[in-house]
Structure formats: C-alpha cells, structure tokens
Amino acid sequence: MARQVHTHDETGETHTHDVDTGDTHTADRVDIPETSETAVVGPGPGTIAGRVILTVVGATGMIVGAFLEWVGGVLGTDLGYRIFFEPDPEGTSTFLTSAGFVVIVLAVLTLVGLAGNWLTRLAAALGIAAFVLFAISVYRAETTSAFLESIQIGAWLVLAGSVVALIGGFVGTRRVVSLPA
C-alpha cells in the first residue's frame, strides 16, 4: 500500500488516501512513503514577532500597573500581599511584601517565558487570578455595590497587561504533526 495526496477541486480540501500500488487513478498525486516519524511545524517569523511584542507589552502593563493606584489612592507597591485574600490587611508592607511586587515578579516570569510559552501562559494566568482575588477583597471590604468604581487604574492595567501577555503566550506556538504509520 502507498499513500496518495490529492486536492478536491470543489472544496480545495487536501488529504491522503491509502491506495493499492497497482491503482491507475489519473489525478495528480504525490506518493508519501510510510513512516512513523513526527514532524515539528514551527511558527513563521511574523508570529514569533507577534508573540514577543504581545508578551513585552503585557509585561510592561503589569509592571507599570504595579506602581500606580489600586484602591483608595493607595499604590500597588504600598498594599500588602495579603490584599489578595483579606479585605482589610493589617500592618504596613515593604516593597518586597507588597501586592505590586507580586505582580512585578509575575511580569518578569512572563518575559522569561519567551523561551518557552508555558511559563508565559502560567504567569499571565496568575496575574489574572491576582486581579480577581484583589477584586473579591475589594468587594468584601466595600459597603456599597459600586466596588468596581473603587478599583483604580493600576489594578485595571495589571489585568489588561496579564490578558495581553496571556494572548502573547498562545501566539506562535509550535505544532507537532504525527505522520500516520
């Protein structure tokens, strides 16, 4: 048995068929030798550039957002990391124990993840999760139903940067194609 590749004129669909070696089918065909190897189909140069641009823009948004106001005029670097799971965290925070520092670490991980997309995706998804946890804490602390209005530009920029970085993590991924045996 050999494999035959052909394209249908009506639909433009290209696929393969198993054919007997004595088949006298007259359509244009290319015989493919049988193999069980895999082929890695890589992204083109445009998709790699898109991945880098989206990831860098997203990480930049996360970092800039960490230094802006998150809620009540308080900067993200002045809020303690406990804001992610407590509505009213007690005590003061240093830069290294701030919610903004957590986001900055996630942004750096998205950039490191440019070497392999999974780390970019993970860090960006954690950035989105951090925003969600922050929003839940703000909701629990607010006495009015307008809690979304009390979340300020820094937190929104962290969310937007995380979403853009997550999209960047999915652009330009490699596909592995297994050739049937």
Side-chain angles (χ1 to χ4, degrees):
M1 287 238 143
R3 299 193 52 95
Q4 177 186 26
V5 176
H6 69 127
T7 303
H8 291 267
D9 293 333
E10 306 84 34
T11 62
E13 176 186 346
T14 301
H15 60 268
T16 62
H17 290 281
D18 290 330
V19 293
D20 292 326
T21 52
D23 188 8
T24 58
H25 189 56
T26 59
D28 294 331
R29 69 176 179 218
V30 177
D31 290 331
I32 300 173
E34 294 190 26
T35 179
S36 62
E37 297 178 19
T38 59
V40 177
V41 180
T47 57
I48 292 173
R51 175 172 58 111
V52 170
I53 290 170
L54 287 171
T55 303
V56 168
V57 167
T60 302
M62 292 170 72
I63 291 170
V64 170
F67 289 102
L68 296 177
E69 295 175 342
W70 282 27
V71 66
V74 180
L75 304 177
T77 53
D78 292 337
L79 284 172
Y81 70 91
R82 298 181 71 79
I83 192 68
F84 294 125
F85 47 91
E86 288 182 9
D88 294 318
E90 295 179 11
T92 60
S93 71
T94 64
F95 178 73
L96 294 177
T97 61
S98 69
F101 182 73
V102 171
V103 171
I104 291 168
V105 168
L106 292 175
V108 169
L109 288 176
T110 61
L111 294 173
V112 171
L114 282 172
N117 290 336
W118 71 269
L119 187 58
T120 296
R121 294 177 200 153
L122 176 65
L126 288 174
I128 293 169
F131 175 83
V132 170
L133 291 173
F134 169 74
I136 289 170
S137 290
V138 171
Y139 175 76
R140 289 174 54 201
E142 289 293 318
T143 56
T144 65
S145 62
F147 81 98
L148 287 177
E149 294 173 4
S150 61
I151 297 176
Q152 293 178 317
I153 187 68
W156 289 112
L157 193 55
V158 167
L159 175 64
S162 297
V163 169
V164 170
L166 183 63
I167 293 169
F170 283 101
V171 172
T173 57
R174 290 180 171 253
R175 297 177 308 262
V176 177
V177 179
S178 294
L179 302 174

